[in-house]
Amino acid sequence: MTPLPSSPAEELALLERELIWLDTRRVQLLRRRSWLKAALRAQSAGGWQPPQGAPGGWAHAPAAHPAPAVPSGSATGGPGAQHVLLILGGLLLAVAAIAFTLFSWGELGIAGRSVVLAGVTAGALGAPVLLLRRGLGATAESVGAVALLLTVLDAYALHAAVLPEADGAGYAAFASGVLAAGWAAYGVGVGRLRLPLPAAVVAGQFPLVLGAWAAGGSALVIGWALLVTAAGSVVVAARVPVLAVRATAWSGAGVTWAGGLLIGLGESVSASGPLDAAAPGVLLLGAAAVALRAVWRAPQEMAVTGGVVAGLAAVAGVGGVLRTEVPWSWAVVVYLVCGAALAPVARIAVVPRPVRGGVLGAAAGVTGVAVLAVLPSAAATLLGPAAVLTGLWAGAPDGTRELAAGAGAWPDALSVPVVLLVAAVLLGAVYASLVQEGREPAGWTGAGAGAVGLVSAAVPVLLVSADVAYAAALVVDLLLVAGLLAAAVAVRRVPAAAGGTALWCAVAVAAHAGLLALAVEPATYAVFGLLLVLFAASAARSEEAVARSLTLVLSVVCALVVASAAGASLELGAPRTAVLVLVVPAAVVVLGLWVRTPAVVVPLEAGAGFAALVALGLAVTDGAYLSLVLALCGVLAAATAVRPERRPGAGYLAAGLFATATWVRLVSAGVTHPEAYTLPVSVIACAVGLLRRRTDPEASSWTAYGPGLGVTLGPSLLALWSDPHWQRPLLLGAAALAVTVTGAVRRLQAPLLLGGGTLALVALHELAPHVAQVFDALPRWSVPALAGLLLLALGATYEQRLRDARRLREHLGRMR
């Protein structure tokens, strides 16, 4: 019989032994169950034999042995319970130490305090050594953490009781240095504890910074303290192989380096002279050096990031000194040049490739920021000549700046075009070097296109900023357009991205030149005439569909501007100028009849359509000229319909334009009768239907004649009910009778039904007054009586009427 336990510890040990025995017994029972299942399967298969390697019965089953007794003094919990106990013990010790320091420290004398401090600290620091010798690593870690905390409390107690007059910041700097050195020595001496060395790294982040603060150092001194601390952390992270120490050192280096960098940037930006900016510049260069040293042998991602921040810090340091000697508008140029000076780093083979890539990325970032900084001023300068639209042909100005004065579009200095040109040169040089090396990384594919775009923007901005003579500016713009178009069409020698950029930049520069040319009448003809020639020549030479289409459309637009200018020079007025503008789409139609290449004709027709719309807009104020323009547009559409591939669409367009021209002319003449508007359309539509029936006899009469007849019969019927005269009913009834007879003779369903229905409505309109008089004369009971007689007659002859309706339906169904 098991004796009753005498204490909770013995009872807990007994429960642990019972649980272990139950687990062992469960495993034994599961094994026996598997053996029995195998035996049953073998028996059902035909003859039972004990499975090979299996025990033959219960007698051979492995016996369950009770678990060995656990001594009452041993650990009864798993690792989780052990950790909980250790953590609780450490916390209790820490609380006791804090309580003792705060409440009981003052009751002891100096000697007593020293003895207590020395004894507790020595005991806490020595205990982990003994625990490690016994293999109690977790316990040693907990006690070691308490020991480190006690050293901090000792330092605080020493300042509070022994050195109360000492400066707080200075004492904290001294104490953090002593603690860092002591913890480092303790961690190296003990060896197997993981916490002291990372704690020493954390403590080492404070001595220099707190010391500089305690000494009343300036912001730069504190910045240098942060930077030196970061450098020390980098050395520790690079030389110490322990992972926890390296991670802590890298984290501390990042924080202190960032603090020093921010201080350097702030001082550099606020400096008012080169001497004031020199010290922050040196600090920023030191930050760049620390960053490079940190990532010199780092993994690729970290090395690239370090190269970027180092390059930016160097640019900020050097640029901060140089920008104090130039006006504010040139500060962007200074930083851009400093960023460009980073480019030669890519040629230094000693520098690791990821670091070189990061430095080049910093140069690219500085270039991008500089371009973005001047972009609003550049855009305003490019759009400045649009002010000339409010005063066309006002006269030749003295310089290009005068044209942009109305919009205030030029910058105060030449810094904007200089930034654009320097950035273009940098991108072009990078792209050229990559092509020369036979490689084109994905990140730099747009370098060539960017260089083209920046040059295209810089030249017009430079013309306005430098107030170049008006004629010279026009010549330079036209030469730039010619060069860009030549680059755009040279697809075999220019990459696709650069070629497409050159094309659109040519369009933008051409627009700038065109706006400038609108200030003087001769310049308008000269510039737009040359642009017409340039775009047409580019279209002829281009092998790319988009480039060819765009240049063809722009050629038509330039011709449209020349035609409109001719009308203005001849003082024809807007309606008469519209007729002159139609010369452009007429020339396009003739060219389309001659070329007949879809890739060429479609863009030309798009431009011709735009020109026709402009002509209609010019003539909209004069009904007679608007009618003439519509008729001429119909002639052009009919000429286009000569080509088989354009026949359906252009033919319908021509008919619509002719009809619209007729209507406009009638409206301008004051004609209000709807037949004047609808009869021409009906005649044309019926003629087309007749041709359709001759080529396709199976075509339905509704398709051939229905639209034409409905266009006239419907509006005339609507006008009939409000017309008090007798001429319209007579003429409409005669026409409806003729249409009905024609439909009956020709066995055409649409004319028969439309004509018959119209004739019936006309007859009803004419008989309506007489019927009304008859109904007024008859007594009230006669109407229901007549209706009843009619229903009786229909009922008596219902079968006959039904057969007549069927025959009528069949007869109509046989009609076309």
Side-chain angles (χ1 to χ4, degrees):
M1 182 175 181
T2 304
L4 295 176
S6 59
S7 65
E10 292 182 359
E11 184 178 359
L12 181 62
L14 178 62
L15 291 177
E16 291 289 343
R17 288 197 301 271
E18 293 293 335
L19 290 174
I20 293 174
W21 184 85
L22 289 175
D23 290 339
T24 305
R25 183 60 178 167
R26 182 175 183 276
V27 172
Q28 181 185 24
L29 293 175
L30 290 175
R31 189 182 305 168
R32 182 62 181 175
R33 185 181 67 173
S34 300
W35 183 87
L36 291 174
K37 287 182 178 180
L40 291 174
R41 286 195 297 270
Q43 184 177 8
S44 60
W48 175 78
Q49 292 293 333
Q52 185 177 359
W58 283 99
H60 301 282
H65 300 286
V70 180
S72 61
S74 62
T76 60
Q82 182 183 18
H83 292 166
V84 171
L85 293 175
L86 292 175
I87 292 172
L88 289 176
L91 289 176
L92 290 175
L93 287 176
V95 171
I98 293 173
F100 173 77
T101 302
L102 295 177
F103 303 109
S104 301
W105 182 260
E107 300 176 359
L108 299 175
I110 296 178
R113 297 172 185 175
S114 301
V115 171
V116 171
L117 282 172
V120 173
T121 304
L125 293 174
V129 178
L130 299 177
L131 292 172
L132 289 173
R133 290 178 181 176
R134 294 179 175 273
L136 302 175
T139 307
E141 291 287 351
S142 300
V143 176
V146 174
L148 298 182
L149 178 61
L150 287 175
T151 56
V152 176
L153 295 175
D154 291 344
Y156 167 75
L158 183 63
H159 177 266
V162 181
L163 302 172
E165 297 83 7
D167 178 64
Y171 181 80
F174 173 77
S176 59
V178 172
L179 289 176
W183 290 349
Y186 180 69
V188 172
V190 176
R192 293 172 57 186
L193 291 179
R194 291 174 291 182
L195 187 60
L197 290 179
V201 174
V202 174
Q205 309 299 313
F206 300 101
L208 290 179
V209 179
L210 294 176
W213 185 17
S218 62
L220 286 176
V221 174
I222 296 177
W224 276 110
L226 289 169
L227 192 60
V228 172
T229 302
S233 299
V234 169
V235 172
V236 172
R239 293 179 177 270
V240 178
V242 182
L243 180 60
V245 176
R246 294 180 64 185
T248 307
W250 281 123
S251 301
V255 173
T256 52
W257 182 88
L261 179 67
L262 292 176
I263 291 175
L265 287 175
E267 294 295 319
S268 177
V269 171
S270 61
S272 57
L275 294 179
D276 295 337
V282 176
L283 177 61
L284 291 172
L285 290 177
V290 172
L292 288 177
R293 175 63 185 85
V295 300
W296 196 261
R297 299 184 183 279
Q300 182 175 357
E301 293 79 6
M302 187 176 179
V304 172
T305 305
V308 170
V309 296
L312 294 177
V315 170
V318 178
V321 177
L322 298 179
R323 62 98 187 162
T324 58
E325 293 295 324
V326 299
W328 67 268
S329 59
W330 288 88
V332 179
V333 180
V334 170
Y335 284 107
L336 178 60
V337 173
C338 293
L342 297 176
V345 177
R347 299 291 183 181
I348 303 177
V350 179
V351 181
R353 183 181 292 275
V355 176
R356 281 184 283 167
V359 174
L360 286 180
V366 172
T367 303
V369 172
V371 172
L372 291 177
V374 301
L375 195 58
S377 182
T381 305
L382 291 173
L383 297 176
V388 77
L389 295 176
T390 60
L392 297 176
W393 294 354
D398 296 332
T400 54
R401 180 173 292 188
E402 182 179 343
L403 292 177
W410 72 89
D412 295 334
L414 296 174
S415 58
V416 173
V418 170
V419 169
L420 297 177
L421 288 174
V422 171
V425 170
L426 291 176
L427 289 177
V430 170
Y431 187 75
S433 63
L434 293 174
V435 173
Q436 186 178 4
E437 294 176 4
R439 59 191 181 93
E440 192 174 343
W444 295 96
T445 52
V452 173
L454 291 175
V455 169
S456 304
V459 173
V461 173
L462 181 61
L463 296 176
V464 177
S465 302
D467 199 16
V468 178
Y470 178 70
L474 290 178
V475 172
V476 173
D477 275 348
L478 289 174
L479 291 176
L480 181 59
V481 172
L484 291 171
L485 289 176
V489 299
V491 293
R492 297 181 180 179
R493 297 183 298 274
V494 178
T501 305
L503 175 63
W504 290 105
C505 289
V507 175
V509 177
H512 184 266
L515 290 174
L516 291 177
L518 292 176
V520 181
E521 182 176 357
T524 301
Y525 290 106
V527 169
F528 281 97
L530 289 174
L531 290 176
L532 170 61
V533 174
L534 290 175
F535 285 128
S538 300
R541 294 182 53 196
S542 178
E543 299 178 2
E544 206 271 332
V546 175
R548 181 172 55 248
S549 300
L550 181 61
T551 49
L552 284 172
V553 172
L554 292 174
S555 302
V556 177
V557 172
C558 292
L560 175 63
V561 174
V562 173
S564 301
S569 299
L570 296 175
E571 299 181 355
L572 299 178
R576 296 182 181 181
T577 303
V579 180
L580 185 60
V581 166
L582 288 179
V583 174
V584 176
V588 171
V589 170
V590 174
L591 185 60
L593 294 175
W594 176 52
V595 178
R596 295 202 175 190
T597 302
V600 176
V601 173
V602 172
L604 286 176
E605 290 179 345
F610 175 74
L613 291 176
V614 172
L616 292 173
L618 292 173
V620 74
T621 58
D622 192 311
Y625 277 98
L626 179 59
S627 174
L628 177 60
V629 170
L630 287 169
L632 293 176
C633 290
V635 172
L636 296 177
T640 305
V642 173
R643 302 204 310 272
E645 69 277 6
R646 291 288 184 268
R647 186 165 298 160
Y652 289 126
L653 179 61
L657 288 171
F658 284 133
T660 307
T662 305
W663 293 345
V664 170
R665 185 61 180 171
L666 292 172
V667 170
S668 62
V671 176
T672 59
H673 298 291
E675 290 81 7
Y677 299 90
T678 58
L679 273 178
V681 178
S682 295
V683 172
I684 295 173
C686 290
V688 173
L690 181 60
L691 295 175
R692 170 72 181 278
R693 290 273 298 174
R694 287 184 178 181
T695 56
D696 184 13
E698 298 297 325
S700 173
S701 61
W702 290 101
T703 304
Y705 306 114
L709 295 175
V711 166
T712 297
L713 296 178
S716 297
L717 277 175
L718 293 177
L720 176 68
W721 295 96
S722 60
D723 190 356
H725 304 288
W726 58 271
Q727 291 88 353
R728 177 174 279 113
L730 178 60
L731 295 175
L732 182 59
L737 180 59
V739 170
T740 305
V741 172
T742 303
V745 173
R746 297 289 184 181
R747 301 178 63 82
L748 298 175
Q749 190 178 108
L752 177 63
L753 294 181
L754 290 175
T758 304
L759 186 60
L761 291 175
V762 171
L764 179 61
H765 174 269
E766 293 301 311
L767 294 176
H770 305 288
V771 172
Q773 292 178 1
V774 170
F775 275 101
D776 289 338
L778 291 176
R780 297 297 181 95
W781 55 266
S782 61
V783 176
L786 292 174
L789 291 175
L790 178 62
L791 292 176
L792 288 175
L794 288 176
T797 60
Y798 175 75
E799 295 294 336
Q800 181 63 33
R801 302 288 80 79
L802 187 61
R803 287 192 294 270
D804 293 342
R806 289 197 187 102
R807 283 196 297 269
L808 178 60
R809 186 182 62 183
E810 293 172 358
H811 181 69
L812 290 175
R814 288 193 293 268
M815 291 183 177
R816 302 300 302 173

